Amino acid sequence: MSDVGAIVKPTFDAMKLKAEFPILARTVHGNVPLVYLDNAATSQKPRAVIDAITKYYECSNANVHRGGHALGAEATALYEDARSIVASFIGAQPNEIIFTRGTTESINLVAASWSSMMGETLKGCTIVVTEMEHHANIVPWQMACEKTGAVLKVIRVHDDGTLDMEHARELINDTTAFVSVVHVSNTLGVENDVRTICALARSVGALSLVDGAQSIVHHAINVTSLGCDFFVFSGHKLYAPTGIGVLFGRANVLESLPPYQGGGSMILDVTFERTTYNDVPVRFEAGTPNMEGAVGLAAAIRWFTALDLEALRVHEAELSERLLRDLNTIDGMRVFGPQTLHAGIASFVIDGMHAHDLGTLLDEQGVAIRTGHHCTMPLMKRFGVTSTARASIAAYTTHDDLDVLSAALLRSVRLLR
Ligand SMILES: *Cc1c(COP(=O)(O)O)cnc(C)c1O
């Protein structure tokens, strides 16, 4: 092949990157080399993140926002720097970023605070989600409905796993008060046109929330161009520690919301007669926050954005295609979702085989995948299964990893049949 005029694809050295993740060097089950393909559940952490957390405890740990001494000031500066880093990562302002425990708490915060503000005015109004939501984007809204008399409506998923946008246009109407949708499905890997959905919500005067738990890892996110009122994600799927997550809310919307929890930090003045609340965002961060988590998340975003992201996207797209191709060569294979790009996530079942048995056999061969309902029981029901096997990639996934997966799958099929 001639190089002249060829488009040079950026190359991404995933093998080199892998060396930055200490855990990926370990073995399992005696001495089997680990291949970790459960990244949609949680990602592993690079040395840069582990070191940042250690350094925080060795050098700067103190409670934040309480002042009075050097360490307190340093810890506060690190915590607030983390807020700024998160804000610029998604195109927001620092006062629009609330630190939470994760995606789940972020959605609960919005659902609880907003529904308590709206109260009975929501009676007969609709809250719209999709059939492919994670339980974290279903249950908090059911709780809000129970409290207010609002009604939950569900946008259907086509047989190929894509969202029925006609149905979305039908359901998002004058009665709609809130629309909450997943950006990239953690089960199917399918990406939804959330920009259009948020525009539909806005056109009927409804608020919108985008669950970005998966998209934050594989897409450049700009909350302004998405047009959402809220955007949520967890640190732990983005190479950061567990127990830290993000709620982005548009400044004027956050200003209008009542507190979610009461306690220290979120107040300006407290007497037994009356308490005045602090400004956004600390109004929503009652108590001592997860400082090490914020520091770790900032380190993860710094580490991640220093990668060649264009080359990474090409690498991940190649691996996604390859993963689907490999899976489809296996006899009796059924891959859920569209037969195109899957954002590095593929859910599948094999005829005559229980997903859990398959998972166990793969595990014995060193391959970690997930089996189960992936916290999307309604979606499982939609496709007439109770569980699937799910393989999901990350920046450190290599073609060698997929070779091991393919070989292990073939071996498992032989053993189980
Ligand atoms: C992981 C995930 C969640 C829940 O995230 P937590 O970190 O468990 O709070 C919600 N939605 C999607 C799409 C996810 O992938």
Side-chain angles (χ1 to χ4, degrees):
M1 202 177 87
S2 159
D3 270 352
V4 184
I7 297 164
V8 183
K9 272 198 196 169
T11 55
F12 187 82
D13 194 345
M15 202 58 125
K16 194 167 145 226
L17 197 74
K18 199 173 229 183
E20 294 184 38
F21 290 75
I23 203 172
L24 297 176
R26 66 160 282 179
T27 57
V28 290
H29 301 306
N31 216 12
V32 189
L34 170 69
V35 169
Y36 185 78
L37 292 171
D38 192 18
N39 296 286
T42 199
S43 65
Q44 299 301 346
K45 320 305 170 198
R47 178 63 72 195
V49 170
I50 298 167
D51 285 351
I53 297 167
T54 306
K55 187 169 165 228
Y56 170 75
Y57 281 121
E58 288 182 351
C59 304
S60 310
N61 177 54
N63 210 328
V64 295
H65 303 311
R66 308 287 201 279
H69 56 78
L71 292 187
E74 266 179 46
T76 303
L78 286 170
Y79 184 70
E80 291 305 324
D81 276 355
R83 199 189 301 280
S84 302
I85 286 165
V86 168
S88 61
F89 184 52
I90 60 171
Q93 296 301 314
N95 65 340
E96 296 175 313
I97 301 299
I98 293 158
F99 284 126
T100 64
R101 279 198 301 125
T103 304
T104 302
E105 190 180 34
S106 296
I107 299 173
N108 274 280
L109 192 164
V110 174
S113 170
W114 173 77
S115 63
S116 79
M117 176 179 76
M118 301 297 284
E120 305 237 313
T121 63
L122 286 180
K123 192 163 270 169
C125 292
T126 64
I127 295 172
V128 177
V129 298
T130 80
E131 209 171 9
M132 67 172 85
E133 298 308 324
H134 189 283
H135 298 160
N137 202 24
I138 299 173
V139 185
W141 300 112
Q142 288 175 325
M143 290 159 69
C145 287
E146 221 160 89
K147 216 162 60 182
T148 61
V151 181
L152 194 69
K153 294 280 178 183
V154 184
I155 304 169
R156 278 189 302 257
V157 166
H158 288 302
D159 287 343
D160 73 354
T162 58
L163 202 59
D164 183 342
M165 289 301 281
E166 277 310 304
H167 196 217
R169 286 193 175 81
E170 218 173 282
L171 286 187
I172 300 172
N173 57 36
D174 290 348
T175 65
T176 307
F178 209 111
V179 180
S180 195
V181 291
V182 67
H183 195 177
V184 169
S185 159
N186 63 301
T187 299
L188 303 173
V190 64
E191 180 182 349
N192 293 319
D193 181 2
V194 289
R195 197 180 305 220
T196 298
I197 294 171
C198 292
L200 285 171
R202 186 152 301 177
S203 73
V204 298
L207 291 173
S208 60
L209 181 149
V210 172
D211 174 353
Q214 297 295 335
S215 62
I216 194 75
V217 192
H218 303 292
H219 295 266
I221 298 295
N222 183 295
V223 289
T224 309
S225 76
L226 285 182
C228 54
D229 295 298
F230 300 99
F231 185 90
V232 301
F233 63 95
S234 302
H236 70 94
K237 292 176 184 175
L238 185 64
Y239 311 105
T242 44
I244 186 82
V246 170
L247 165 61
F248 155 81
R250 272 201 303 123
N252 61 329
V253 180
L254 284 183
E255 290 294 343
S256 71
L257 292 180
Y260 166 59
Q261 294 179 329
S265 279
M266 55 76 72
I267 50 84
L268 285 176
D269 186 59
V270 178
T271 66
F272 282 113
E273 289 69 42
R274 200 181 117 78
T275 290
T276 48
Y277 302 131
N278 210 332
D279 293 332
V280 171
V282 283
R283 185 195 299 163
F284 297 103
E285 293 179 359
T288 300
N290 183 356
M291 285 113 45
E292 65 159 278
V295 166
L297 176 57
I301 292 174
R302 265 199 219 98
W303 171 85
F304 184 68
T305 51
L307 301 176
D308 182 345
L309 290 179
E310 198 190 330
L312 173 60
R313 304 250 139 82
V314 173
H315 174 68
E316 290 188 339
E318 262 174 28
L319 287 180
S320 295
E321 257 173 67
R322 154 110 201 256
L323 176 59
L324 282 187
R325 216 171 38 236
D326 288 356
L327 290 177
N328 281 317
T329 60
I330 291 168
D331 225 25
M333 172 65 69
R334 177 179 175 201
V335 183
F336 297 87
Q339 295 301 310
T340 51
L341 291 186
H342 272 230
I345 300 171
S347 268
F348 56 93
V349 292
I350 301 175
D351 278 351
M353 253 179 247
H354 199 287
H356 290 286
D357 296 338
L358 185 60
T360 305
L361 276 180
L362 289 178
D363 179 52
E364 283 165 8
Q365 298 170 80
V367 182
I369 60 155
R370 178 138 304 236
T371 58
H373 53 64
H374 319 296
C375 298
T376 55
M377 281 182 169
L379 186 64
M380 295 286 111
K381 193 167 168 215
R382 160 72 180 83
F383 285 111
V385 291
T386 51
S387 66
T388 70
R390 181 187 69 186
S392 52
I393 64 163
Y396 43 69
T397 306
T398 61
H399 281 280
D400 289 353
D401 291 337
L402 296 192
D403 286 342
V404 175
L405 171 68
S406 280
L409 271 173
L410 285 172
R411 184 156 183 277
S412 308
V413 169
R414 275 201 305 274
L415 284 171
L416 280 173
R417 280 222 177 107

